[in-house]
Amino acid sequence: MSWDWQFYCNDTATGEAVAGCFGPGGKEQTYLQWMLNAWGWTLSVSLLALLLALVVGSLIGIARTAPNKWLARFGEAWTELFRNIPLLVQVFLWYHVLPALFPVLRDALPPSVLVVCALGFFTSARIGEQVKAGIQTLPRGQRYAGLAVGMTLPQTYRFVLLPMAFRIVIPPLTSESMNIVKNSAVAFAVRIPELAQFAQQASEETSHFEEIFIPVTLLYFVSAFAINRVAKFVEARVRIPGSGGGK
């Protein structure tokens, strides 16, 4: 089997070789530039969705452990709704159905933002479950102690419960963060120009399936592994002495 990697330096429109593999002015002209641009889209969608998932998921986890039954029920309903609908279905709902029902979404938000919302809210249900578990792992006395010294309930969550809970759930949060990078591939279904969409279209145009899917696979691995290393660094920095496996 002989592989031909030279096609990455070819112009995507004409198929002619481009010196240096990069078109003039940094424009997307070669397959290499196309792949790098698609990687940028993958990282952008993944990181924005991760930020949204962490914020919303934390709020949902807090709501599910709050003494207010209506907040707890809302958190439960949110989790069951977004956890039990397949991600691809949610992407289609955000991309096709909601803009049709609410035209302001179509006019105000670009398609990539809608995909970020779908991916972020889907993951927020899973993160909310983990934050809830982290809070419930803590001894009840910590909540009562915070209230006993005059803290309000929000202050008790902010200064007593959440700092400890987040330390506990960093490992599962790491897994969810890595999953977001992999799940971002569903964006190809609505024509977001990310890595999976590049791989599908470029392989059909060039018939270089191995030469395209091997680098794309490596880029997904590098992206997810980088998140893993950052999370491991954070975990080591915030680990409570004497807990877990660290010293």
Side-chain angles (χ1 to χ4, degrees):
M1 178 184 296
S2 60
W3 290 342
D4 177 18
W5 301 94
Q6 293 297 322
F7 81 94
Y8 274 106
C9 294
N10 293 346
D11 188 286
T12 57
T14 64
E16 298 179 356
V18 175
C21 292
F22 289 90
K27 296 180 180 179
E28 181 185 310
Q29 293 186 351
T30 67
Y31 285 98
L32 178 60
Q33 288 174 282
W34 184 6
M35 183 174 67
L36 294 177
N37 184 64
W39 189 26
W41 274 100
T42 293
L43 294 177
S44 299
V45 169
S46 300
L47 293 178
L48 289 174
L50 175 59
L51 178 61
L52 178 62
L54 287 173
V55 173
V56 177
S58 298
L59 294 175
I60 293 300
I62 293 170
R64 294 182 67 187
T65 60
N68 186 303
K69 67 177 182 179
W70 295 110
L71 276 178
R73 288 176 180 176
F74 173 79
E76 294 285 347
W78 180 282
T79 300
E80 294 302 322
L81 175 65
F82 287 98
R83 186 173 59 181
N84 293 317
I85 299 177
L87 176 57
L88 188 58
V89 174
Q90 293 191 38
V91 168
F92 279 116
L93 287 174
W94 276 93
Y95 191 84
H96 293 292
V97 178
L98 291 180
L101 296 177
F102 306 99
V104 65
L105 293 178
R106 181 178 61 248
D107 299 333
L109 299 178
S112 58
V113 174
L114 297 176
V115 173
V116 166
C117 290
L119 185 56
F121 288 152
F122 171 81
T123 310
S124 72
R126 304 171 65 89
I127 291 179
E129 188 75 34
Q130 293 158 4
V131 172
K132 172 192 173 185
I135 294 174
Q136 291 182 334
T137 301
L138 301 174
R140 288 188 178 182
Q142 291 196 13
R143 181 190 302 233
Y144 299 145
L147 297 174
V149 298
M151 291 185 181
T152 63
L153 185 60
Q155 289 175 330
T156 301
Y157 270 95
R158 179 182 176 185
F159 296 111
V160 179
L161 301 179
L162 291 180
M164 295 292 294
F166 277 118
R167 285 175 167 89
I168 295 172
V169 301
I170 285 179
L173 288 181
T174 300
S175 297
E176 292 303 329
S177 301
M178 296 170 68
N179 283 337
I180 275 192
V181 175
K182 295 178 286 185
N183 289 338
S184 67
V186 301
F188 89 94
V190 290
R191 307 300 295 176
I192 301 299
E194 46 74 60
L195 277 174
Q197 196 268 348
F198 158 78
Q200 181 186 45
Q201 186 171 341
S203 61
E204 291 176 354
E205 291 181 4
T206 64
S207 297
H208 290 285
F209 296 96
E210 296 87 354
E211 295 93 327
I212 288 175
F213 279 95
I214 289 175
V216 166
T217 301
L218 290 176
L219 288 177
Y220 274 117
F221 170 79
V222 168
S223 303
F225 188 71
I227 291 178
N228 176 275
R229 292 298 91 191
V230 171
K232 288 293 184 182
F233 173 78
V234 172
E235 182 181 5
R237 296 285 295 179
V238 303
R239 180 183 291 122
I240 302 172
S243 67
K247 294 184 180 180

